[in-house]
Amino acid sequence: MSRPLRLNAWRWAASVVLALGLASAVGSAAQAKPPTTRERQRIEIVVRSSRTASMFSRLTIDSPTLILRNAQTGSLPEQRADCYTDLEVGIRDADGKETRYRLERSGHLWDEAAGRLLRLSADASKRMLGYAEALRREHYGALMDWSEARLIVKRKSTFTITDLESGLSFRVQRRAGSDHADVQPMTTEDSKTMKEIYGGAWSWDRRAIIVSKDRTRIAASMNGMPHGGDGIPGNGFKGHFCVHFLGSSSHRSDTPDPAHQLMVYQAAGQLRSYFASASPGVMAINFAEAVARKDIEMLQLLWPEASAERFEELNRLLERLESLTIKRTRVTKTEELADELSASVTLPLQIRLRDRGTLQSELRFEFVRSAPRLPWRIAGVSSDHSSLIP
């Protein structure tokens, strides 16, 4: 599945092709063809919401000379490389050899494998950042408050949901819901597609999705569990499921559900800004959600100051983890910590490990900031079980 588009950013004459697609064939989508060694030198920028995502957006620069001119190679400690976690840049030389980089937020290219930084000129860095942001806007949905989104996905209206991880899409109808949208798949085929997204079993797990209505693409989150009333006979779905948008809440609370909001921001490609504005309680829940999803890149965004050894410990935990459930907990409102420079959060969990079975555990978080209006940072994470996080 591809949609070519030519861009002329900054009036640059180089040929740039933008395509949306899937890493593997899905439905009627065509499989992306790997480049051959005979193709000419080029740069490819690829956006995925995670490194395991099948859905991707790709931008190809067929004449990369202006980008690479005057580029210099240097070294930089890996922990100092502040990179986009959802972007990968591949540079293919005239002999067909490809080197993969991460794009730094300064516009330079970081070679993780070799531990080297490719420093671009100021103009080339600006162009790379511009192309990257254009591609990310094409890939993700727009953040839209529920008060506005509900006027687009009105009751009884139909729209398309696309799962950001798998790239699978299906049609739904909004049936009800005032604090969020209660929707149902339109047909049995739509229900089958939704169940496929959830690995063949209905689940309360939240997933980042794009809601498409006419020409509007909105960042949203869904769960995958049929519940409540049944409104479309014969669609193979006994009940409805929930779709949340920015600022929407559940039936039982006036406060937005942190797990749904996490997925809304992921669907918008704005996790970094979300974490920068989050309270310690919300950050702690997001950390546990990232562990449950085994999303190491999300954990790196949440805890950029953590050492390489800390992430090795987390990786070992993720390899053993079978499930993690966050028990009900009160989230401290931001205004309650308005003047504080430190905060502690204890998060009760139920964790199932491959080698230990089910454990009732707690994660303890320490947060700091240097001024009241600055973002909170994780200063430390510990557990009451040394087998989890020492």
Side-chain angles (χ1 to χ4, degrees):
M1 180 172 64
S2 62
R3 187 152 60 96
L5 174 67
R6 292 191 177 273
L7 303 177
N8 288 312
W10 300 281
R11 299 182 181 178
W12 192 32
S15 172
V16 179
V17 179
L18 175 66
L20 300 179
L22 301 177
S24 58
V26 175
S28 60
Q31 187 169 357
K33 295 181 179 179
T36 65
T37 56
R38 293 184 179 180
E39 290 179 327
R40 59 183 173 177
Q41 184 181 17
R42 67 183 187 183
I43 297 175
E44 281 192 349
I45 307 174
V46 175
V47 173
R48 301 177 195 267
S49 59
S50 71
R51 294 198 185 190
T52 61
S54 296
M55 181 175 171
F56 67 90
S57 298
R58 180 178 61 208
L59 182 149
T60 301
I61 303 171
D62 287 325
S63 300
T65 306
L66 292 180
I67 291 288
L68 299 178
R69 183 180 295 167
N70 300 322
Q72 297 179 347
T73 301
S75 60
L76 184 71
E78 185 174 355
Q79 60 267 26
R80 290 179 53 198
D82 183 15
C83 301
Y84 288 89
T85 59
D86 58 351
L87 271 168
E88 188 175 62
V89 179
I91 298 180
R92 182 178 295 272
D93 63 23
D95 296 325
K97 180 183 177 181
E98 185 173 75
T99 304
R100 296 195 173 275
Y101 298 87
R102 287 291 189 180
L103 179 64
E104 265 209 317
R105 294 184 181 274
S106 61
H108 303 303
L109 299 175
W110 173 246
D111 184 343
E112 288 182 304
R116 292 181 302 182
L117 187 70
L118 185 62
R119 295 184 181 275
L120 307 181
S121 68
D123 181 65
S125 294
K126 180 180 177 181
R127 293 175 189 236
M128 284 295 291
L129 291 172
Y131 287 136
E133 287 302 327
L135 186 62
R136 295 180 82 251
R137 285 193 298 271
E138 191 75 20
H139 186 76
Y140 295 110
L143 271 181
M144 185 180 295
D145 192 83
W146 170 233
S147 61
E148 184 180 353
R150 67 188 302 171
L151 302 179
I152 296 176
V153 290
K154 300 177 181 179
R155 293 192 182 189
K156 307 303 181 182
S157 68
T158 59
F159 51 93
T160 299
I161 285 176
T162 301
D163 178 59
L164 198 62
E165 185 78 10
S166 67
L168 295 174
S169 298
F170 60 102
R171 296 281 294 166
V172 301
Q173 182 183 51
R174 180 186 170 196
R175 305 292 296 182
S178 56
D179 300 315
H180 58 264
D182 291 337
V183 307
Q184 290 194 7
M186 292 292 292
T187 67
T188 55
E189 287 302 313
D190 292 315
S191 296
K192 288 179 182 178
T193 299
M194 181 180 176
K195 197 168 188 178
E196 183 181 349
I197 288 171
Y198 277 93
W202 299 123
S203 169
W204 288 106
D205 288 351
R206 280 71 163 165
R207 293 185 71 95
I209 58 172
I210 306 296
V211 166
S212 300
K213 174 68 175 174
D214 300 325
R215 294 185 177 182
T216 303
R217 300 173 71 251
I218 312 172
S221 170
M222 71 175 183
N223 63 42
M225 180 61 72
H227 62 281
D230 187 12
I232 302 180
N235 68 347
F237 196 90
K238 300 300 181 182
H240 65 264
F241 67 98
C242 302
V243 173
H244 282 248
F245 298 84
L246 178 66
S248 63
S249 59
S250 66
H251 296 301
R252 298 179 180 179
S253 174
D254 294 332
T255 304
D257 177 80
H260 272 305
Q261 294 302 298
L262 177 65
M263 291 296 97
V264 170
Y265 276 90
Q266 184 172 49
Q270 296 192 32
L271 284 177
R272 186 184 178 95
S273 62
Y274 177 50
F275 296 153
S277 63
S279 69
V282 169
M283 287 185 71
I285 292 174
N286 289 338
F287 188 97
E289 287 285 344
V291 171
R293 296 173 180 279
K294 301 185 177 183
D295 192 331
I296 199 68
E297 291 169 341
M298 188 181 291
L299 288 169
Q300 289 171 341
L301 275 177
L302 277 162
W303 199 7
E305 295 87 1
S307 65
E309 292 76 15
R310 256 325 200 186
F311 275 105
E312 288 177 6
E313 293 170 358
L314 284 171
N315 269 316
R316 287 195 292 270
L317 171 61
L318 300 187
E319 290 172 358
R320 299 158 57 216
L321 182 68
E322 291 187 346
S323 67
L324 181 151
T325 303
I326 304 171
K327 296 183 178 179
R328 189 177 300 277
T329 184
R330 177 181 178 272
V331 176
T332 304
K333 295 182 179 180
T334 303
E335 55 267 25
E336 296 180 31
L337 298 169
D339 299 320
E340 301 295 329
L341 299 181
S342 62
S344 300
V345 176
T346 299
L347 200 61
L349 307 170
Q350 178 173 291
I351 299 178
R352 183 170 181 81
L353 300 177
R354 189 173 295 112
D355 56 337
R356 294 288 301 276
T358 301
L359 301 175
Q360 306 300 322
S361 181
E362 289 182 344
L363 285 184
R364 293 186 291 268
F365 298 83
E366 298 297 330
F367 294 90
V368 296
R369 58 181 174 179
S370 53
R373 295 188 179 275
L374 292 181
W376 288 99
R377 295 181 293 105
I378 297 176
V381 183
S382 60
S383 170
D384 56 348
H385 282 276
S386 60
S387 61
L388 298 179
I389 300 177

